[in-house]
Structures are given as C-alpha cells and as structure tokens.
Amino acid sequence: MKLEKTGGILIVRLDGELDHHYATKIREAVDGAVMVGDVRKIIFDFTGVGFMDSSGIGTLMGRYKLMQTLGGSVGVFGISPRLDKLLSMSGIKKIISIYNSEKEAVGGVS
Amino acid sequence: MQYSNEMKIIFPNKSSNEGFARVAVAAFAAQLDLTVEEMSDIKTAVSEAVTNAIVHGYENLKGYITVECKILDNTIEITVNDSGHGIADVEKARQPLYTSRPELERSGMGFTVMETFMDEVSVTSALGVGTTVTMKKRISPKE
Ligand SMILES: Nc1ncnc2c1ncn2[C@@H]1O[C@H](COP(=O)(O)OP(=O)(O)O)[C@@H](O)[C@H]1O
Ligand SMILES: [Mg+2]
C-alpha cells in the first residue's frame, strides 16, 4: 500500500488481496493520514487488487463515514468487473464515486 | 457417500490464515476443471466463511477452524467450522447488510456473498457450541 497526498487529495494505492486481514491495515494507515489534516478527498486505486471479499466494502463504507464527518468525499478507480459485481451487491456505489481513471478521479468528474 | 477426493485443514484463528485458507482450498479445487471465475467464486466464499469464524465465532477467544473440502462428481462441497460463540438467529444473520459488529467495519454482506457465488449454503449453529457453514458449488462441464 502506498499513500500519496497532494493538495487535499489522498491517493491510496492498494495492492494484493483485500480481505479482513489487509482491511485492518488499510484502516489504520488511511485514518492516520486523514487525521494529520487537510484531506478533502480519499481516492482508492484498486488497479493492484487481485482479490476482494466483503471486507473491502466495509473498508470503503468506513472511510465514507469518516469523510462525511469531515465534509469530504471518497472515490475509487481501477475496479475490475469482478470487484464491480461485489460493490454493486452492497449499494455502496450510491455513496462513493466510481471513476474510470485516475485522471477522472483527481479531476472530480464522475 | 463415496467422494472422489477430500481434504481437511485445521488452523488457529489468526487473520493471517484467511489468505492461507483461500490458497489451500484453491489448490485442492484446481483438480476440477475450473474457470478463473469459478475459482474466484470459491476463494471469495471461503474467505467470507473463514473471516466470520475468526471475527465473530472466536471474537476474543482462541480456537481452531476446520475447513473440509470434498469432491463428488462435478460438485465441490466446502465446510467451515468453528467452536466459538455460535449464532442466536441464523435467519437474521443471513440477511443482506445485517452485521452484529458495525464498529469493526463489517459490511453485513458475507452470507450474501457466499450465497451469490456458491449454489447452496447451509448454516448450523448453536450458542456456546459453534458454527458450521456448508457450501456447495457445481462446476460446469468444459468442452
Ligand atoms: N462463525 C460465526 N460465529 C458467530 N456469529 C457469526 C458467524 N458467522 C456469522 N455470524 C453472525 O452473522 C452476522 C452476519 O455475517 P456476515 O453476513 O458475514 O456479515 P458481517 O461478517 O459483515 O457481519 C455477523 O455479523 C455475526 O453476527
Ligand atoms: Mg462476514
């Protein structure tokens, strides 16, 4: 996982398998970076995620709630058809933005 | 019943074993002629059941999880068992978005995911005794 912060945008580059084990690490790292301050938007880069279970939904939901209390937002890009199927099941696509590319995500066009 | 092959693994409730369980079941299932999609379905369902055993079954207890796989013709049957807290109301637990642990960022979608990716899911549970989840998937014949 790599975190990059530029101008109020926190990009979280995920890698590997997003299960409950990895989810607890993501939560710690991302919330830590957000608490440092000045994050208006968290963007998750899913390009490197080869596996995800429902823990990933919980992780996105949790970051959405956190950003809501701070008046910010959450977006994702790099979603494979399989991950898209999982996200669709939970209704989370109604509350976070799914982008087709990093450029779109950073630019904020949905 | 005469299974053509079977295996059993037993491991402690450490979250790092979630990945181990997925890979072990995938390696066993590979003797069936699976599509990439079918393999992902199985790995995802196993991940959900094993995570539940760790997060909910044992919560702050220590214990072992048993995963058994059996192959009969074109069907793989996977059983995940814990000797943890058990589930008070299985019907309620299986409902989409129901979670008893929202503070742990569970989404309540685990059983729904198992049901979506497997053909049959049955749950037997008793409070203070533990939970057994049995899942079956029929593998479509390939050309
Ligand atoms: N092995 C288990 N032991 C005890 N309770 C369980 C077990 N598996 C599931 N549950 C209960 O069923 C609920 C729903 O499970 P699930 O659909 O996987 O959602 P989640 O894990 O996100 O809460 C859990 O919140 C928990 O209360
Ligand atoms: Mg679960």
Side-chain angles (χ1 to χ4, degrees):
Chain A
M1 175 184 8
K2 275 208 315 231
L3 275 66
E4 297 161 17
K5 198 156 105 182
T6 28
I9 296 180
L10 178 69
I11 300 184
V12 183
R13 302 202 192 277
L14 302 172
D15 47 59
E17 314 216 312
L18 209 180
D19 59 5
H20 155 251
H21 182 68
Y22 188 29
T24 53
K25 294 179 176 171
I26 297 169
R27 176 185 189 173
E28 251 179 53
V30 172
D31 290 9
V34 169
M35 288 317 160
V36 174
D38 187 37
V39 174
R40 282 179 287 108
K41 185 173 185 176
I42 306 173
I43 296 172
F44 287 97
D45 175 0
F46 272 83
T47 315
V49 176
F51 171 88
M52 186 176 102
D53 64 19
S54 70
S55 304
I57 299 168
T59 303
L60 290 175
M61 211 99 92
R63 306 295 72 65
Y64 166 76
K65 284 181 188 156
L66 172 69
M67 290 313 283
Q68 237 196 347
T69 63
L70 300 172
S73 62
V74 176
V76 303
F77 72 92
I79 300 287
S80 68
R82 189 169 179 93
L83 295 198
D84 190 69
K85 190 171 164 186
L86 268 167
L87 295 183
S88 299
M89 281 168 59
S90 64
I92 193 167
K93 286 168 80 177
K94 293 188 196 104
I95 55 172
I96 64 168
S97 310
I98 314 282
Y99 299 103
N100 292 317
S101 68
E102 177 163 354
K103 211 174 147 204
E104 255 189 30
V106 174
V109 202
S110 64
Chain B
M1 222 185 297
Q2 193 59 54
Y3 297 104
S4 57
N5 204 356
E6 50 191 307
M7 71 88 152
K8 185 195 271 197
I9 50 174
I10 301 171
F11 50 86
N13 61 328
K14 291 172 183 288
S15 66
S16 58
N17 281 331
E18 293 157 6
F20 164 70
R22 286 195 298 274
V23 171
V25 171
F28 180 77
Q31 63 195 281
L32 289 163
D33 193 7
L34 299 175
T35 62
V36 173
E37 195 69 14
E38 286 166 336
M39 185 61 99
S40 298
D41 290 350
I42 290 170
K43 281 174 85 173
T44 312
V46 167
S47 198
E48 296 294 350
V50 170
T51 301
N52 280 352
I54 291 171
V55 175
H56 307 295
Y58 289 117
E59 210 185 318
N60 34 34
L61 307 172
K62 271 192 169 177
Y64 285 88
I65 295 158
T66 306
V67 176
E68 279 185 85
C69 297
K70 292 173 176 171
I71 291 172
L72 180 66
D73 300 326
N74 277 331
T75 300
I76 184 163
E77 181 185 302
I78 302 164
T79 305
V80 177
N81 167 267
D82 68 71
S83 309
H85 295 295
I87 305 174
D89 183 343
V90 169
E91 208 188 315
K92 183 171 154 196
R94 291 180 71 149
Q95 275 163 21
L97 299 172
Y98 171 78
T99 180
S100 56
R101 305 305 302 274
E103 77 283 7
L104 294 182
E105 300 197 341
R106 308 314 305 158
S107 61
M109 293 300 293
F111 279 125
T112 308
V113 167
M114 291 182 240
E115 285 161 8
T116 305
F117 293 141
M118 302 295 276
D119 293 312
E120 270 175 58
V121 178
S122 65
V123 183
T124 53
S125 191
L127 284 179
V129 178
T131 301
T132 303
V133 176
T134 304
M135 307 181 279
K136 286 185 192 172
K137 190 174 182 69
R138 282 177 295 280
I139 304 306
S140 59
K142 312 292 182 302
E143 289 307 304

